[in-house]
Structure formats: structure tokens, C-alpha cells
Amino acid sequence: MFKNKPTRADVGAIDTLIGPQVTLRGDLIFSGGLYVEGHIQGKVLAEDGARAVITLAEQGSIEGEVRAPVVVINGRLVGDVYAEERIELAAKARVQGNLYYKVVEMSAGAQLTGRLIHADAMQAASAAGTRAEAEERVMADA
């Protein structure tokens, strides 16, 4: 009667594991699948143009900005998240920061202290900011 949710190929592959006993201080740049069970204090950035998925496990934590095409959170994250494709907040996710997304999926029980900002709204705001700066320069030149 009920069908299981299909598993996504992009979320399943793990190329790098940060184990539960590991604390990493500093920025991390990765590609492929990154699975975090430990603790990261610093930015976590996917390589430009690379297929990259970061999964934050229930016992894991990140204190810093996260930028990747696909971000799956089930642990504690303090910082802003920028996802080019999708953000998934699982039931145990605890996020303090803003989420910049194209698609977001949030399970019952997930907690977000921050704002959800859709990519279209972000692009419109940056275009409006550029337009306003240009208008200010024209007025200053007159």
C-alpha cells in the first residue's frame, strides 16, 4: 500500500567520511560525497562545478558556512547554507542560519532558526541592488 521513498543516486555515494571522533578546524573543500559524523569548525565548500553532496549525520556538527549543490542535514549546523540544487532537513536537523536554496525538503521535527531564501528571490535582490547602485552613479554624475 505504501511505497518506500526511492533512494537518490546522488545522496548514496560516500567518497569522504569524517568520523565521530574527528574534529576538523579550518576550511574544507571537497567534491563527490562527504559524510560528516564528527565536528567541523570552518567553511565547508564544494569545488566549483563538481558533483558534490554533503550529508551531516545526526551526531555530527558544523560551525561555519556550507556551500554545495546538494546538502542533507540531520545534525547541528550553525551558519548559512547555500545549495545550488537542493537542501534536505531530516527529522533531527538543528540549523541556526539562513538557507539559500532552489528546492528544500523539510521533515517533521527539523528545526530552523533563520530564514529560507529562494534562489530566485536572491537573484532578484542582487539585480535590484545592482540597479540601485547604477542609478546612484547616474544621479551623482548629473
Side-chain angles (χ1 to χ4, degrees):
M1 183 162 150
F2 294 104
K3 293 183 181 178
N4 286 338
K5 191 174 184 179
T7 54
R8 296 185 178 112
D10 58 352
V11 175
I14 298 173
D15 298 306
T16 305
L17 170 66
I18 297 180
Q21 303 301 318
V22 176
T23 298
L24 179 69
R25 291 181 180 89
D27 297 345
L28 173 65
I29 299 173
F30 75 100
S31 64
L34 171 63
Y35 193 83
V36 179
E37 292 180 334
H39 309 284
I40 299 175
Q41 297 173 345
K43 294 180 183 179
V44 180
L45 310 169
E47 284 185 4
D48 288 337
R51 284 291 305 151
V53 178
I54 178 171
T55 303
L56 180 60
E58 183 177 342
Q59 63 274 23
S61 70
I62 297 174
E63 294 177 31
E65 179 181 295
V66 174
R67 289 182 183 265
V70 179
V71 180
V72 180
I73 302 169
N74 198 27
R76 187 179 67 83
L77 191 145
V78 178
D80 290 346
V81 177
Y82 298 84
E84 297 162 16
E85 295 176 23
R86 182 177 75 247
I87 298 175
E88 295 180 24
L89 298 179
K92 300 288 184 177
R94 304 292 178 260
V95 179
Q96 291 180 309
N98 297 325
L99 303 182
Y100 298 84
Y101 69 96
K102 282 189 180 176
V103 175
V104 66
E105 179 180 327
M106 183 180 264
S107 297
Q111 294 179 3
L112 170 64
T113 304
R115 297 181 355 197
L116 289 169
I117 302 162
H118 193 267
D120 292 342
M122 185 172 54
Q123 290 169 351
S126 69
T130 305
R131 193 176 322 120
E133 290 170 7
E135 289 172 3
E136 286 178 16
R137 276 186 255 125
V138 168
M139 295 298 227
D141 291 341

